[in-house]
Amino acid sequence: MDAKLKQKLKTLPELPGCYIYRDKKGEILYIGKSKNLKQRVKSYFTKTQIGKTARLVHNIHDFELIITDSEQEALLLEMTLIMKYQPPYNVMLKDEIRYTYLKITNETNPHLELTKEIEKDGASYFGPYASRHTATATQELLQKIYPLCYCNGKKGRPCFYYHIGMCIGPCARDVTKEEYDAQIKKISNFLNGGQKEVRRDIENRMNKQIENLEFERAKETHELLNVLERVTEKQKVMSRDFGHRDMIHFAEQDQFCAIQIFFVRNGAIVGRHAKVFEFVGDVNEMVETFLMTFYNHPNHLLPKELLVPEQLDTKLLASSLGIKVRVPKKGEKKALLELIHENAKSALDAHFKMLEYAEKKEE
């Protein structure tokens, strides 16, 4: 370590903020945050480091600090700087997976459509869905039982979908905002866990058709029940609490971390995001930064609630993300979080076995 760096380490403040490590060329190597810059930055140079952190420290030629008023401000600034400069030693969130969402558009004649782009357009988004096939089947089911606009909405000749009951019919008549709002409410209730109400609506429709001797229509309506079963059968219910939440846990060993984020909708696991990587610094702070980056990605939808292990700072995440963040203490949610932890540990074990296999193959 050169004299200039040693001198700078003696003047570190015990304040929250971000630190930026640079190499000999002045290029940014790594950006981190801490509630105590003196304690965090010194630890890189006074402790014995391994792996990626050791390689980072070896290449640090200079650093700079940005003092903030709080740890929350430091976390938000760190995320912004990382996304802007893409430092090589930071864990980067690459857009490897683009999730599918159902969208109710915000327009005069609302449509129900699939999208992988979440925009600030006043529309309502639901998901994510584990597969496009499941999302498409759900969309088609809802268009048959609670149709919105399926055409361009211009009044004139009724569209084909209006004739088969999959378009509410702005092409054929004046559809009021109240009619649209009623359909949107029913769709939203279904997507927020109201499958029982939908089943009841379909059964009532089928029974009326049978009473009116409309057997062909009753047969078609019965098929909707089969579609409903297929849409929901693959979603294994893990909780009787039908809220929308994400759950996250991680495992760490030798400066490697495996993170698992499970998406729980209507009490069922509908998908997950899994990642294994080598990291620098404190694992808890790294995971908090990863979550901030993940949920600030334009194509990732914030859940209503985030459940995390007790190692993480729930108050910091809640204030930074603007959602409820908590640690489950007992019951189904705690058991599910432990299951996610086991998944993370298994992923990390598998990663080390692959590394060991690759090393033996090179010998």
Side-chain angles (χ1 to χ4, degrees):
M1 188 190 310
D2 62 30
K4 179 185 174 182
L5 202 55
K6 285 183 179 180
Q7 187 60 36
K8 290 188 77 170
L9 289 173
K10 293 178 182 179
T11 62
L12 291 167
E14 295 187 20
L15 295 170
C18 292
Y19 52 94
I20 302 172
Y21 292 146
R22 296 180 182 271
D23 62 15
K24 289 183 178 180
K25 295 180 181 179
E27 298 292 330
I28 295 177
L29 295 170
Y30 181 76
I31 297 171
K33 64 91 181 167
S34 179
K35 59 184 176 183
N36 187 321
L37 287 170
K38 181 176 182 179
Q39 184 179 344
R40 171 63 62 222
V41 174
K42 265 196 169 184
S43 68
Y44 283 91
F45 301 93
T46 56
K47 293 181 179 180
T48 302
Q49 306 292 357
I50 62 172
K52 191 174 182 179
T53 306
R55 296 194 297 273
L56 167 65
V57 173
H58 177 75
N59 288 302
I60 295 173
H61 181 72
D62 196 6
F63 67 85
E64 60 188 87
L65 306 177
I66 302 176
I67 308 298
T68 59
D69 291 330
S70 65
E71 187 181 8
Q72 179 190 350
E73 187 181 327
L75 178 59
L76 294 170
L77 177 61
E78 177 197 32
M79 179 198 67
T80 302
L81 293 173
I82 288 172
M83 293 177 72
K84 180 178 181 179
Y85 293 106
Q86 306 275 304
Y89 282 86
N90 283 97
V91 176
M92 302 312 302
L93 181 65
K94 295 182 174 60
D95 192 15
E96 299 159 345
I97 301 174
R98 292 169 64 82
Y99 300 103
T100 302
Y101 298 89
L102 274 171
K103 172 182 179 179
I104 300 175
T105 62
N106 178 31
E107 53 187 327
T108 303
N109 296 301
H111 293 71
L112 179 66
E113 57 188 43
L114 300 182
T115 183
K116 290 188 176 182
E117 303 288 338
I118 295 178
E119 302 175 80
K120 295 180 180 179
D121 54 3
S124 298
Y125 294 87
F126 302 88
Y129 285 86
S131 70
R132 188 175 181 87
H133 173 76
T134 302
T136 301
T138 303
Q139 179 195 26
E140 291 176 353
L141 172 67
L142 290 170
Q143 283 170 336
K144 289 176 181 177
I145 55 179
Y146 304 132
L148 295 177
C149 181
Y150 205 121
C151 58
N152 59 19
K154 293 181 180 179
K155 193 173 180 180
R157 185 177 181 180
C159 71
F160 168 75
Y161 293 99
Y162 176 68
H163 288 298
I164 63 173
M166 290 179 66
C167 179
I168 199 169
C171 50
R173 62 189 183 88
D174 292 325
V175 182
T176 66
K177 183 178 184 302
E178 288 71 25
E179 286 183 84
Y180 276 122
D181 288 345
Q183 294 293 79
I184 289 171
K185 183 178 179 181
K186 290 176 182 178
I187 292 170
S188 298
N189 286 341
F190 171 79
L191 296 174
N192 286 321
Q195 285 94 344
K196 289 183 180 178
E197 290 84 351
V198 172
R199 177 183 296 278
R200 189 160 52 243
D201 282 353
I202 296 174
E203 289 175 343
N204 288 339
R205 183 190 302 184
M206 183 175 66
N207 290 334
K208 287 180 181 178
Q209 290 166 342
I210 292 173
E211 288 174 8
N212 295 330
L213 306 180
E214 298 173 340
F215 298 117
E216 283 300 318
R217 286 192 175 184
K219 183 178 179 182
E220 292 174 1
T221 303
H222 183 266
E223 177 57 28
L224 293 180
L225 288 175
N226 295 331
V227 175
L228 179 62
E229 286 293 329
R230 290 196 295 271
V231 166
T232 58
E233 68 179 351
K234 292 183 180 180
Q235 298 182 357
K236 184 180 179 182
V237 175
M238 303 296 291
S239 172
R240 288 167 291 185
D241 180 347
F242 293 106
H244 283 21
R245 59 178 56 89
D246 289 356
M247 305 181 72
I248 175 262
H249 214 312
F250 60 94
E252 176 262 335
Q253 181 182 333
D254 298 335
Q255 295 295 113
F256 279 86
C257 179
I259 289 181
Q260 300 262 334
I261 303 175
F262 277 49
F263 310 122
V264 182
R265 303 293 183 265
N266 308 326
I269 298 171
V270 299
R272 69 171 178 171
H273 180 87
K275 192 175 183 70
V276 180
F277 47 77
E278 193 176 10
F279 68 93
V280 165
D282 179 78
V283 65
N284 295 334
E285 291 188 356
M286 180 277 301
V287 171
E288 289 162 3
T289 299
F290 180 88
L291 290 174
M292 285 295 299
T293 307
F294 183 85
Y295 287 114
N296 277 277
H297 190 285
N299 290 331
H300 293 165
L301 194 64
L302 264 175
K304 294 181 179 178
E305 180 182 58
L306 180 64
L307 300 187
V308 302
E310 59 186 0
Q311 302 99 300
L312 301 184
D313 190 330
T314 55
K315 290 183 179 179
L316 176 64
L317 287 170
S319 59
S320 301
L321 291 171
I323 59 173
K324 186 176 181 181
V325 181
R326 64 188 184 90
V327 178
K329 301 296 184 183
K330 59 182 179 180
E332 294 171 330
K333 298 181 186 68
K334 181 175 174 58
L336 181 51
L337 201 65
E338 285 303 313
L339 175 65
I340 298 170
H341 188 210
E342 291 301 317
N343 272 267
K345 289 194 290 186
S346 296
L348 195 59
D349 288 341
H351 181 76
F352 282 124
K353 287 178 182 177
M354 287 297 295
L355 290 178
E356 184 180 345
Y357 173 77
E359 289 175 1
K360 288 182 178 179
K361 197 172 181 181
E362 289 177 359
E363 292 176 356

